[in-house]
């Protein structure tokens, strides 16, 4: 004890566990002087996510706490300062640099080093271990010259290393494993085979049952020789064959070690010396060294509690793990290997998608004992909770991994809100469901950021973050805090709720709706959103309520730089007659418009003055054109390839089908714009799979894809139904579009709508093709009503003098154009003057 | 088509000694302006946006130029209100910058300021005070 009456705690090792110990200790008490010695040049960093160092994360990104954190908390941190000796008698430690420090309690958090097998030639250049940032730096600089690399060790860390080598751009990567399968501690043979084929797809070759006997090469590594006399030419080798506890200091100090190394500790993490604790990967508990972060953190907690004078004991560890290896989900939980007759096993294997799932059920069918997930581990969290909390499983246990009839898998297990209060949500930080819920209830936490800060949950491996989100929302809902995405400050309803209210009450105007369900005077958010609802429900002329429309809809044209507008007549399916082309050319010339072919196979005419719009449209309509609705959140175009009428590959007439579909849905207003495409064969020249709906001809009919889009976040459309006939295709489209119009949030494209949808594509497919909500007839009727009430709104606008009058720039000089709308010449046409 | 600008001079007392003359521009007829929307009025070289905030029974006028990208479009913007005090506002159709119809202050976080003008309705006619 020193002069200020505080005990001195010295921590040897500043890795993840050593750091966690400090964090836990200062939170529990301020009665200690803490001194930390680390041998690495930087403060503790996140080794779990070490391989991210190769995809651009910096050492700082991985850091657990800034160097200033230690100072702020009164911790003396010595970096680059390895310890030479512990003198237990005088309770002092000595560093290689010559520092001397006495302690009241000593914490050994020295961690582990890579285990390097004793293979002849292993000392050659080009052989590395995979452990520290420094190792990674060496691998990085050597790896840029290497073409063929191997990893010894097909465990968790070995596969991480394989990913690192892939990220470095090494063309050929091999994984050598002594055991008959990959990750032998986590997964079974079938799981290993699935993982192996996934790895091969990514360019990683796996060699099992291989025992390396010699590392060959002249100074630097050139090949590996195996005990079966086979060999492999490589120019780089990374060793990841397991860990070796760093117990040399403890050994010299005469502390008790295990027969194969590791500092022996009791269930309070105390070594054979009452004043010395060992935590993390250097410690041996119950004859085991634990190479995972969660047990290390648990040891840090137990040691901290005991040093503060309270009692807490280790109670065995959950070795369940979930990780993403080279983009492949791999998880193992509970008793993954228990086999019949001690349990009953359900296995699901999808070699096409590379998914393998195994769950082990108790013989009485009541409990889940453990399992393995490869390729899709979305249900890991809830399955782990089901094991750990001995939750009674559903009568059809296969629902646990398959989902029940279209319900998402999460639902089948009951969801995270149904877990008991003591259920461990964050195993890294040992945070229970109760602790999370009470942070929400008692401390009024409403965001994930605040929840992490307040509970520390989710700050380790991050695997529990989805469960935390569900708990946050679920608890807030249970507390009567109604969370929803309301339209804006004027309406406390979501778009979908308002849609139903407007429909049930047959409301036709914005003012009525604001009066009944809103407050204030409305705004630029709720006005167009309600305009869209009204259009979706009643399909009345939007110009009857012009001032709730966005500017484009108000003037039925797209506003462009300089305040002029662009004009897009409908050219369904991209098919146009020479006469109509001539008309477009004449109109463009007459009004000095810039013309361009659009991405949707039509022609855009830019630079029209507001005052000229009615006359331009009059001429277009006389020639047989109608509005193209390019200005609306509505159906734009249905793009087509030429199809079987001309193309030698075409299977069906894609142009006729595209025209039919475009005309069917023209004028259909939606939460966002809608685009479609029809391709006449699999070559997909219409790029239909990048559209909100895409139709592709097959030998037997049509494939219908939905919810794709281009734009800033491109997303392919997904198959809704295959080989269907024309009528079914239209019926499904009617349902899909109306369901979208009815339920999507404002300005949400179909792809985002689907991404946010609970249950995803399986659910949507059920609604559309199996009528699981029983609303198919209603949706089809709504679409029929839309089709029956369609009118070209430009035709209506120019025929009505009152409406026509609105198309002028100056109310007191209706024929005058805006002098500020100016053009400059460009390639024999004009463009808007730069703003 | 020629336009005449009709000015009406109005004088009134301010603390019984000062007499001020105001210039009011006849802009248009009240029913030329759509309910809860705006129109643009030409005044010499200026463009003025006039808004008929029918829901509140109020009229407002501002410059027509949106200061963000120098576009003559505010009269085509949607109007509404914001906050507990229901501050009336207009949103520019280009990038949805919003401006108070009372103070001309930009309400969407930028340092812009637009000009506002007094408006009055007399016998179904809209007048804007330009000086």
């Amino acid at each position: 004890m020193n002069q200020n009456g505080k005990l001195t705690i010295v921590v040897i090792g500043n890795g993840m566990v050593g750091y966690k110990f400090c964090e836990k200790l200062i939170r529990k008490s301020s009665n200690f002087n803490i001194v930390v010695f680390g041998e690495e040049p930087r403060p503790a960093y996140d080794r779990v996510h070490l391989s991210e160092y190769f995809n651009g994360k910096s050492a700082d990104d991985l850091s657990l706490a800034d160097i200033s954190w230690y100072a702020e908390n009164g911790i003396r941190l010595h970096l680059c300062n390895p310890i030479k000796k512990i003198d237990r008698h005088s309770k002092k430690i000595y560093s290689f640099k010559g520092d001397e420090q006495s302690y009241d309690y000593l914490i050994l958090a020295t961690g582990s080093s890579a285990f390097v097998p004793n293979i002849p030639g292993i000392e050659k250049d080009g052989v590395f271990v995979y452990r520290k940032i420094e190792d990674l730096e060496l691998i990085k600089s050597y790896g840029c010259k290497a073409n063929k690399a191997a990893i010894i060790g097909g465990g968790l860390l070995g596969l991480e290393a394989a990913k690192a080598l892939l990220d470095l751009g090494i063309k050929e990567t091999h994984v050598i494993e002594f055991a008959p399968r990959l990750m032998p501690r986590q997964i079974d043979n079938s799981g290993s085979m699935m993982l192996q084929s996934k790895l091969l797809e990514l360019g990683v070759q796996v060699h099992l049952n291989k025992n390396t006997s010699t590392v060959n090469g002249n100074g630097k590594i050139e090949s590996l020789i195996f005990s079966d006399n086979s060999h492999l030419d490589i120019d780089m080798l990374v060793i990841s064959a397991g860990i070796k506890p760093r117990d040399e200091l403890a050994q010299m100090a005469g502390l008790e070690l295990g027969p194969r190394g590791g500092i022996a500790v009791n269930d309070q993490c105390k070594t054979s010396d009452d004043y010395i604790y060992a935590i993390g990967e250097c410690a041996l508990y119950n004859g085991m060294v634990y190479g995972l972060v969660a047990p290390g953190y648990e040891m840090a907690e137990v040691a901290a509690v005991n040093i503060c004078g309270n009692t807490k004991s280790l109670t065995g560890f959950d070795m369940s793990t979930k990780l993403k290896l080279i983009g492949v989900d791999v998880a193992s939980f509970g008793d993954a290997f228990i086999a019949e007759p001690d349990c009953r096993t359900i296995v699901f294997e999808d070699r096409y998608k590379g998914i393998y799932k195994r769950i082990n059920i108790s013989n009485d069918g009541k409990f889940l004992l453990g399992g393995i997930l490869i390729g899709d581990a979305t249900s890991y969290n809830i399955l782990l909770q089901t094991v750990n909390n001995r939750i009674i499983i559903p009568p059809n246990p296969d629902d646990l991994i398959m989902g029940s009839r279209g319900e998402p898998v999460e639902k089948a297990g009951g969801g995270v809100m149904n877990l008991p209060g003591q259920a461990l949500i964050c195993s890294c930080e040992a945070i229970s469901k109760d602790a999370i819920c009470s942070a929400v209830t008692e401390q009024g936490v409403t965001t994930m950021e605040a929840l992490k800060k307040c509970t520390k949950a989710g700050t380790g491996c991050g695997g529990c973050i989805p469960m935390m989100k569900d708990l946050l929302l679920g608890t807030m809902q249970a507390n009567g805090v109604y969370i929803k995405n309301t339209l804006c400050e004027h309406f406390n309803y979501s778009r979908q709720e308002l849609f139903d209210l407007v429909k049930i009450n047959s409301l036709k105007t914005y003012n009525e709706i604001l009066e009944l369900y809103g407050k204030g005077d409305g705004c630029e958010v709720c006005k167009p959103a309600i305009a869209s609802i009204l259009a979706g429900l009643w399909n009345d002329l939007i110009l009857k309520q012009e001032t709730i429309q966005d500017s484009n809809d108000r003037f039925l044209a797209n506003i462009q730089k300089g305040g002029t507008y662009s004009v897009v007549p409908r050219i369904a399916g991209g098919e146009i007659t020479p006469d109509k082309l001539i008309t477009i050319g004449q109109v463009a010339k007459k009004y000095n418009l810039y013309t361009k072919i659009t991405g949707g196979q039509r022609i855009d005419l830019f630079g029209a003055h507001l005052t000229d719009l009615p006359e331009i449209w009059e001429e277009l309509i006389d020639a047989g054109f109608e509005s193209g609705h390019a200005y609306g959140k509505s159906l734009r175009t249905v793009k087509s390839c030429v199809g079987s009428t001309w193309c030698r590959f075409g299977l069906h007439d894609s142009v006729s089908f595209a025209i039919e579909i475009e005309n069917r849905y023209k004028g259909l207003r939606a939460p966002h714009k809608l685009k479609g495409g029809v391709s006449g064969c699999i070559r997909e020249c219409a790029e239909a799979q990048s559209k909100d709906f895409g139709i592709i001809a097959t030998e037997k009919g049509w494939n219908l894809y939905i919810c794709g889009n281009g734009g800033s976040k491109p997303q392919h459309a997904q198959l809704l139904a295959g080989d269907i006939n024309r009528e079914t295709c239209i019926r499904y489209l009617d349902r899909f579009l109306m369901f979208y119009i009815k339920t999507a949030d404002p300005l949400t494209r179909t792809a985002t709508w689907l991404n946010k949808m609970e249950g995803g594509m399986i659910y949507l497919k059920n609604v559309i093709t199996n009528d699981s909500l029983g609303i198919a007839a209603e949706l089809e009727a709504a679409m029929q009503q839309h089709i029956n009430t369609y009118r070209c709104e430009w035709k209506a606008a120019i025929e009505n003098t009152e409406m026509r009058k609105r198309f002028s720039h100056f109310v007191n000089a209706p024929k005058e154009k805006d002098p500020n709308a100016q053009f400059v010449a460009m390639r024999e046409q004009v463009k808007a003057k730069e703003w | 088509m020629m336009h005449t600008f009709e000015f009406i001079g109005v004088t009134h007392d301010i603390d019984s000694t000062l007499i001020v003359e105001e210039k009011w521009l006849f802009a248009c007829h009240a029913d030329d302006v759509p309910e809860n929307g705006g129109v643009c009025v030409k005044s010499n070289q200026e463009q003025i946006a006039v808004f008929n905030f029918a829901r509140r029974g109020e009229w407002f006028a501002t410059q027509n130029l949106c200061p963000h990208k120098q576009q003559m479009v505010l009269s085509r913007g949607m109007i509404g209100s914001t906050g507990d005090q229901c501050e009336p506002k207009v949103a520019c159709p280009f990038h949805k910058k919003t401006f108070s119809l009372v103070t001309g202050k930009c309400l969407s976080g930028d340092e812009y300021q637009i000009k506002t003008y007094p408006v009055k309705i007399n016998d179904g006619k809209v007048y804007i005070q330009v000086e």
Side-chain angles (χ1 to χ4, degrees):
Chain A
M1 196 173 291
N2 69 4
Q3 58 271 44
N4 62 16
K6 291 184 174 182
L7 290 175
T8 299
I9 311 295
V10 174
V11 183
I12 303 180
N14 186 225
M16 295 181 80
V17 174
Y19 162 78
K20 186 55 62 177
F21 172 81
C22 296
E23 189 194 280
K24 287 183 181 284
L25 193 62
I26 56 173
R27 221 184 315 154
K28 292 184 202 304
S29 164
S30 55
N31 280 332
F32 301 106
N33 295 310
I34 306 177
V35 186
V36 178
F37 285 85
E39 66 174 10
E40 290 187 57
R42 41 176 74 83
Y45 53 86
D46 181 355
R47 265 187 246 274
V48 175
H49 297 106
L50 199 56
S51 62
E52 288 172 22
Y53 186 67
F54 283 107
N55 10 310
K57 277 217 176 181
S58 70
D60 280 349
D61 293 333
L62 293 172
S63 165
L64 293 175
D66 221 76
I67 218 152
S68 58
W69 177 87
Y70 296 88
E72 280 157 22
N73 288 289
I75 298 172
R76 282 205 340 259
L77 175 65
H78 298 267
L79 292 175
C80 274
N81 205 345
I83 299 303
K84 181 166 76 178
K85 184 182 161 198
I86 303 168
D87 181 349
R88 288 164 59 193
H89 182 70
S90 62
K91 291 172 86 176
K92 275 187 181 170
I93 59 164
Y94 300 89
S95 82
F96 279 100
K97 282 189 177 170
D99 289 307
E100 178 184 324
Q101 172 71 50
S102 44
Y103 64 82
D104 293 297
Y105 286 102
L106 179 65
I107 313 297
L108 298 174
T110 47
S112 65
S113 56
F115 167 68
V116 180
N118 191 12
I119 303 169
I122 200 97
E123 72 293 338
K124 291 193 195 307
D125 280 352
V127 181
F128 301 91
V129 296
Y130 187 83
R131 180 74 195 153
K132 296 185 291 193
I133 286 189
E134 288 74 22
D135 300 331
L136 269 63
E137 278 166 352
L138 292 173
I139 292 174
K140 217 171 178 171
S141 69
Y142 197 90
C144 59
K145 299 173 297 197
N147 292 314
K148 288 175 74 174
I151 293 130
I152 292 188
L156 217 147
L157 209 59
L159 297 181
E160 285 275 338
K163 171 174 172 39
L165 295 182
L166 280 183
D167 288 344
L168 278 181
I170 291 176
K171 292 183 193 77
E172 210 182 305
T173 303
H174 299 261
V175 171
I176 320 287
E177 170 60 45
F178 176 69
R181 61 171 187 264
L182 290 169
M183 300 180 67
R185 284 169 80 155
Q186 285 89 13
I187 64 177
D188 60 9
N189 284 332
S190 308
S192 170
M193 275 158 68
M194 192 63 82
L195 185 56
Q196 227 175 302
S197 62
K198 279 289 223 185
L199 292 178
L200 193 59
E201 266 172 39
L202 298 159
V204 179
Q205 296 178 47
V206 177
H207 310 264
L208 299 173
N209 295 309
K210 284 274 181 201
N211 194 359
T212 311
S213 54
T214 315
V215 176
N216 250 349
N218 186 10
K220 63 179 189 358
I221 182 166
E222 284 161 16
S223 67
L224 292 179
I225 312 284
F226 303 110
S227 54
D228 57 5
N229 288 326
S230 58
H231 79 285
L232 181 68
D233 290 339
I234 50 168
D235 42 24
M236 181 172 179
L237 177 68
V238 176
I239 302 206
S240 178
I243 56 170
K244 194 168 70 138
R246 294 280 303 274
D247 54 12
E248 1 21 291
L249 274 175
Q251 186 175 24
M252 284 192 295
L255 294 175
E256 188 190 324
L257 304 185
R260 279 177 295 147
I263 308 164
V265 296
N266 66 8
D267 60 4
Q268 291 169 21
C269 291
K270 214 179 260 182
T271 65
S272 51
D273 182 322
D274 275 350
Y275 300 98
I276 303 181
Y277 289 76
I279 56 177
E281 293 178 341
C282 64
L284 181 81
Y285 171 64
N286 269 348
M288 273 267 288
V289 167
Y290 294 86
L292 291 177
V293 69
Y297 282 6
E298 179 64 18
M299 290 179 185
E301 167 75 15
V302 166
V305 168
N306 285 295
I307 283 171
C308 289
N310 300 313
T311 347
K312 186 164 182 176
S313 302
L314 295 176
T315 51
F317 300 113
D318 181 4
M319 299 301 285
S320 302
T321 29
K322 176 192 159 194
L323 60 159
K324 228 185 179 67
L325 282 171
I326 325 189
V328 184
D329 276 345
V330 177
S332 122
F333 56 94
D335 195 341
F337 294 109
I338 186 171
E340 281 155 13
D342 298 326
C343 71
R344 292 190 279 174
T345 295
I346 299 174
V347 171
F348 168 78
E349 204 172 326
D350 177 347
R351 292 204 188 152
Y352 172 66
K353 288 190 183 144
I355 294 172
Y356 171 77
K357 296 180 181 185
R358 163 183 171 172
I359 49 173
N360 309 319
I361 311 288
S362 64
N363 278 324
D364 60 8
K366 281 191 181 153
F367 301 107
L368 180 63
L369 304 175
I372 293 166
L373 305 168
I374 313 274
D376 169 21
T378 43
S379 48
Y380 167 78
N381 279 326
I382 203 75
L383 291 178
L384 177 62
Q385 294 294 343
T386 307
V387 174
N388 289 351
N389 298 293
R390 289 185 66 76
I391 293 171
I392 306 276
I393 58 180
N396 297 317
D398 55 326
D399 289 354
L400 288 171
I401 47 175
M402 309 287 293
S404 59
R405 318 298 156 246
E407 287 281 308
V409 166
E410 301 284 319
K411 285 274 155 60
V416 69
M417 284 304 285
N418 293 336
L419 294 173
Q422 69 275 16
L424 200 60
I425 301 299
C426 172
S427 49
C428 295
E429 296 283 343
I431 311 295
S432 67
K433 179 191 162 191
D434 273 348
I436 288 171
C437 295
S438 82
V440 179
T441 306
E442 279 147 40
Q443 297 178 55
V445 165
T446 56
T447 64
M448 277 300 287
E449 279 316 299
L451 190 58
K452 281 189 194 173
K453 215 168 180 172
C454 172
T455 62
K456 287 257 160 204
T459 57
C461 69
C464 58
I465 288 175
M467 282 198 290
M468 288 175 64
K469 276 186 189 156
D470 289 350
L471 282 177
L472 177 67
L473 292 178
T475 312
M476 282 167 72
Q477 259 162 10
N479 292 349
V481 184
Y482 192 28
I483 340 143
K484 55 182 183 182
N485 35 353
T486 57
L487 218 47
C488 66
E489 60 177 295
H490 305 106
F491 287 92
N492 201 18
Y493 297 93
S494 69
R495 183 184 182 277
Q496 185 176 355
E497 287 168 323
L498 265 181
F499 189 98
D500 292 337
L501 287 170
V502 171
K503 184 178 179 188
I504 293 162
N505 297 294
S506 291
L507 301 174
K508 302 285 164 65
T509 68
Y510 174 82
N511 288 341
E512 285 174 287
I513 298 165
L514 181 63
E515 215 49 69
L516 278 169
Y517 300 109
K519 59 174 192 215
D521 308 306
C523 67
E524 70 281 2
V525 175
C526 56
K527 285 182 174 183
I530 288 176
S532 161
I533 291 174
L534 290 169
L537 278 171
W538 318 123
N539 200 23
D540 206 355
L541 274 183
I542 60 167
L543 283 196
K544 287 194 186 163
Q545 294 179 71
E546 55 177 318
T547 57
I548 62 166
Q549 313 293 341
D550 234 325
S551 176
N552 286 356
D553 267 331
R554 177 169 170 192
F555 297 105
L556 305 177
N558 296 47
I559 194 165
Q560 307 288 354
K561 275 184 184 173
T564 61
Y565 288 85
S566 66
V567 170
V568 188
R570 184 164 301 287
I571 300 176
E575 183 186 84
I576 186 164
T577 61
D579 279 340
K580 279 187 164 176
L581 275 174
I582 289 168
T583 304
I584 288 184
Q586 285 168 337
V587 168
K589 253 184 155 166
K590 179 170 173 187
Y591 295 92
N592 193 29
L593 306 176
Y594 166 85
T595 52
K596 186 183 181 307
I597 313 282
T598 70
Q601 300 185 332
R602 40 195 196 173
I603 300 169
D604 205 338
L605 300 94
F606 292 81
H609 288 279
L610 194 52
T611 324
D612 289 337
L613 284 175
E615 282 158 37
I616 291 172
W617 272 106
E618 205 155 35
E619 294 186 27
L620 290 171
I621 288 167
D622 279 347
F625 284 106
E626 53 185 354
S627 169
H629 298 92
Y631 43 81
K633 303 297 176 207
S634 58
L635 179 86
R636 299 290 173 84
T637 73
V638 180
K639 189 175 175 176
S640 73
C641 71
V642 74
S644 61
T645 49
W646 293 91
C647 177
R648 68 189 194 278
F649 297 117
L651 294 169
H652 310 306
D653 181 0
S654 45
V655 179
S656 299
F657 201 17
I659 293 172
E660 182 185 356
I661 302 265
E662 182 162 338
N663 283 330
R664 182 174 183 84
Y665 301 126
K666 64 188 174 191
L668 181 67
R669 282 192 156 72
H672 212 309
K673 63 184 171 189
L674 284 166
K675 297 179 177 183
V678 183
S679 279
C681 78
I682 195 68
R683 286 168 189 78
E684 244 284 64
C685 295
E687 296 163 321
Q689 287 166 98
S690 67
K691 309 292 184 207
D692 296 280
F693 57 89
I695 302 166
I696 301 176
T698 67
E699 297 281 349
K700 295 178 198 152
W702 304 92
N703 279 354
L704 175 57
Y705 297 82
I706 55 169
C707 298
N709 65 233
S712 58
K713 271 194 169 170
Q715 187 167 323
H716 274 144
Q718 300 180 41
L719 185 69
L720 177 75
D723 293 330
I724 49 176
N725 61 22
R726 183 190 145 277
E727 291 72 27
T728 312
C729 187
I730 289 174
R731 199 162 64 238
Y732 286 173
L733 270 176
D734 282 0
R735 294 176 185 178
F736 158 65
L737 291 171
M738 269 302 163
F739 189 52
Y740 165 64
I741 289 169
K742 189 176 150 67
T743 61
D745 282 333
L747 303 180
T748 305
R749 288 290 295 269
T750 55
T752 316
W753 171 65
L754 174 63
N755 294 346
K756 284 201 229 163
M757 189 178 291
E758 228 181 281
M761 192 62 190
I762 300 173
Y763 172 78
L764 184 56
K765 212 180 225 174
N766 261 315
V767 173
I768 297 171
T769 63
N770 297 336
D771 193 14
S772 60
L773 296 181
I775 55 169
E778 181 195 322
L779 296 174
E780 286 170 36
M783 187 61 83
Q784 195 52 51
Q785 186 210 313
H786 161 80
I787 294 160
N788 296 344
T789 50
Y790 169 82
R791 291 161 72 190
C792 169
E793 51 208 21
W794 258 116
K795 191 160 190 288
I798 57 175
E799 283 169 355
N800 178 315
T801 25
E802 264 312 298
M803 284 184 188
R804 192 167 176 152
K805 217 175 89 183
R806 304 288 190 212
F807 294 89
S808 60
H809 184 70
F810 295 114
V811 65
N812 54 348
K815 290 285 167 206
E816 277 183 49
K817 291 168 182 167
D818 177 11
N820 292 67
Q822 290 176 1
F823 307 99
V824 290
M826 180 189 61
R827 290 189 292 278
E828 297 168 62
Q829 297 199 65
V830 292
K831 66 171 182 176
K833 198 174 153 223
E834 205 44 52
W835 56 23
Chain B
M1 187 176 167
M2 282 301 294
H3 289 277
T4 51
F5 296 113
E6 183 185 334
F7 288 88
I8 50 164
V10 180
T11 55
H12 65 177
D13 282 330
I14 295 176
D15 75 20
S16 77
T17 51
L18 257 171
I19 307 273
V20 176
E21 189 166 309
E22 299 167 344
K23 279 191 172 167
W24 290 84
L25 162 72
F26 164 60
C28 57
H29 289 95
D31 54 16
D32 288 336
V33 190
E35 286 192 0
N36 300 304
V39 293
C40 170
V41 175
K42 186 175 178 180
S43 152
N44 294 325
Q45 290 318 304
E46 270 185 296
Q47 297 193 13
I48 299 172
V50 177
F51 300 98
N52 172 9
F53 214 140
R55 181 176 162 81
R56 300 162 68 109
E58 293 177 288
W59 288 74
F60 298 97
T62 69
Q63 68 186 53
N64 194 32
L65 184 83
C66 175
H68 171 223
K69 292 286 180 185
Q70 308 291 313
Q71 301 288 300
M72 283 295 185
V73 285
L74 289 181
S75 60
R76 301 179 204 168
M78 279 180 281
I79 58 174
S81 68
T82 183
D84 295 337
Q85 306 304 313
C86 282
E87 172 130 25
K89 63 170 184 174
V90 60
C92 172
F94 272 101
H95 304 96
K96 299 278 151 60
K97 302 275 178 200
T98 55
F99 302 92
S100 164
L101 292 172
V102 180
T103 66
K105 235 178 97 182
C106 179
L107 302 173
S108 35
D110 295 293
E111 285 299 308
Y112 302 118
Q113 172 75 40
I114 60 170
K115 248 196 284 183
T116 59
Y117 305 84
V119 189
K120 66 179 180 187
I121 310 299
N122 203 339
D123 196 20
K125 290 176 177 172
V126 182
Y127 296 90
I128 306 168
Q129 191 187 2
V130 288
E131 272 167 54

